[in-house]
Amino acid sequence: MEVDRVLRPGGYWVLSGPPINYRVNYKAWQRPKEDLEDEQNKIEEIAKKLCWVKRSERAEIAVWQKTMDSESCRRKQEDAGVNFCESSDADDVQENGGLRYPKLYAIPPRIASGLVPGVSSETYQDDNQKWKKHVNAYKKINRLLDTGRYRNIMDMNAGLGSFAAAIQSPKLWVMNVVPTTAEKSTLGVIYERGLIGIYHDWCEAFSTYPRTYDLIHANGLFSLYKDKCNAEDILLEMDRILRPEGAVIFRDEVDTLIKVKKIVAGMRWDTKMVDHEDGPLVPEKILIAVKQYWVVDGNSTSTQ
């Protein structure tokens, strides 16, 4: 299921070694033939549920392909009663989040059931509308958002996942990060929307292997961490995980963004402060930043 999550539609999964070709190799592997047979049968069964197609099996190598319409295929299987996992804990997002289907704007079950304190169906819908409005404003400020220029996107303070839903496109994907210091635990909601995400404390380093990001969204992040750790440390971590010529969208109170702008100027980021889409009297502002590509040449630093 984790391989399926990170694998693009049409991509391939290659399995080399046990249990493939167990009939020939079970003695060399020093494992019971029956155990290896059972292991391969389980792999074959799960691959079928995931709507993968087995393309080849030769010697100790087998190849499956994730179909281009795997989501549609799995919806049909779900309607037919095919289940992938069960959990008795409604908040067990590690398990329940594995194979949700994209239901971006349906009311998530845990919100409908009142399991997220302070979030009702009405406030959830209002949040969606708000972020559609915000993203439309972003697209007017940065016209590259719709071009496919930014494929790997991170939302550092994802909330209910409404930014990811509003910007959703086949050209991109969003890693939704719920800070451990956030007022509400919303990662389960994000999973139920068919999105992906993770908990993280931004006072610590973020594991980015095997990728960096083209665009980072930071809504209210520096107000959230104001008394918890230094803004410089968070910004340096953002600089590390952002690709050269990648962009950052900050949304926060104007006083906070002025401090952020001063710090990133020393990091050789280009910045532009923009008023809230409702006008200049709104204290919340938008700061757009672009990380420049620069290299060290001898004793001098040059920007290309």
Side-chain angles (χ1 to χ4, degrees):
M1 289 164 64
E2 178 66 5
V3 171
D4 183 79
R5 183 183 70 80
V6 301
L7 190 64
R8 294 178 183 176
Y12 294 88
W13 183 58
V14 180
L15 176 59
S16 175
I20 305 302
N21 203 19
Y22 66 87
R23 293 179 180 87
V24 174
N25 295 314
Y26 72 95
K27 290 183 179 179
W29 293 334
Q30 298 181 348
R31 291 184 58 188
K33 185 177 180 180
E34 295 75 15
D35 289 356
L36 289 162
E37 181 181 16
D38 183 58
E39 189 174 299
Q40 179 153 353
N41 288 340
K42 286 181 179 178
I43 292 172
E44 301 275 6
E45 179 187 355
I46 295 171
K48 186 176 180 180
K49 286 183 178 181
L50 290 167
C51 299
W52 293 2
V53 178
K54 192 173 186 179
R55 295 300 186 189
S56 175
E57 181 176 333
R58 296 180 183 177
E60 289 76 46
I61 297 176
V63 180
W64 284 265
Q65 183 178 22
K66 180 176 178 177
T67 56
M68 296 298 292
D69 62 343
S70 59
E71 289 179 358
S72 174
C73 172
R74 289 206 296 269
R75 286 193 195 99
K76 292 178 182 177
Q77 293 210 57
E78 187 181 53
D79 293 340
V82 176
N83 296 316
F84 290 90
C85 59
E86 299 292 338
S87 174
S88 58
D89 184 356
D91 290 318
D92 187 2
V93 294
Q94 297 295 335
E95 187 169 347
N96 284 335
L99 276 178
R100 292 292 178 181
Y101 305 120
K103 300 174 181 176
L104 287 178
Y105 292 107
I107 306 296
R110 66 187 60 210
I111 289 180
S113 303
L115 296 177
V116 184
V119 181
S120 65
S121 297
E122 292 73 22
T123 56
Y124 169 76
Q125 291 171 333
D126 289 344
D127 192 68
N128 283 320
Q129 293 303 315
K130 178 182 75 172
W131 280 104
K132 286 180 181 179
K133 180 179 178 181
H134 287 343
V135 168
N136 284 335
Y138 293 161
K139 290 179 178 179
K140 292 177 183 178
I141 299 168
N142 185 342
R143 299 190 182 277
L144 294 175
L145 284 177
D146 267 338
T147 66
R149 166 66 179 80
Y150 306 117
R151 176 174 173 80
N152 299 334
I153 299 177
M154 174 187 285
D155 191 356
M156 296 179 72
N157 187 16
L160 300 174
S162 299
F163 165 78
I167 204 171
Q168 184 268 335
S169 164
K171 300 176 183 177
L172 56 85
W173 70 281
V174 181
M175 170 59 78
N176 295 280
V177 182
V178 177
T180 54
T181 55
E183 180 182 350
K184 297 181 178 68
S185 176
T186 55
L187 188 57
V189 172
I190 288 168
Y191 281 140
E192 288 180 344
R193 300 186 74 167
L195 302 168
I196 63 172
I198 191 172
Y199 288 116
H200 183 65
D201 180 358
W202 285 111
C203 292
E204 306 292 338
F206 185 88
S207 175
T208 53
Y209 182 82
R211 60 174 57 82
T212 50
Y213 291 84
D214 306 302
L215 177 69
I216 297 176
H217 181 243
N219 170 52
L221 187 78
F222 290 89
S223 291
L224 179 64
Y225 278 91
K226 183 177 180 181
D227 299 318
K228 297 176 177 66
C229 52
N230 293 329
E232 291 90 342
D233 293 336
I234 298 176
L235 288 165
L236 286 170
E237 180 64 2
M238 292 171 69
D239 183 75
R240 185 186 67 81
I241 66 180
L242 185 66
R243 293 177 177 174
E245 300 180 343
V248 181
I249 301 173
F250 300 92
R251 178 181 286 269
D252 218 313
E253 297 297 313
V254 61
D255 291 344
T256 300
L257 290 185
I258 289 172
K259 295 176 183 176
V260 168
K261 184 177 181 180
K262 182 178 179 180
I263 296 169
V264 300
M267 295 162 54
R268 299 178 180 270
W269 289 10
D270 288 343
T271 60
K272 180 181 180 181
M273 187 86 79
V274 181
D275 285 327
H276 190 282
E277 54 266 24
D278 289 339
L281 298 181
V282 180
E284 183 179 87
K285 305 293 180 184
I286 302 166
L287 178 66
I288 306 296
V290 177
K291 177 180 176 178
Q292 296 303 298
Y293 178 75
W294 57 276
V295 295
V296 177
D297 181 15
N299 295 322
S300 64
T301 303
S302 62
T303 304
Q304 298 181 354

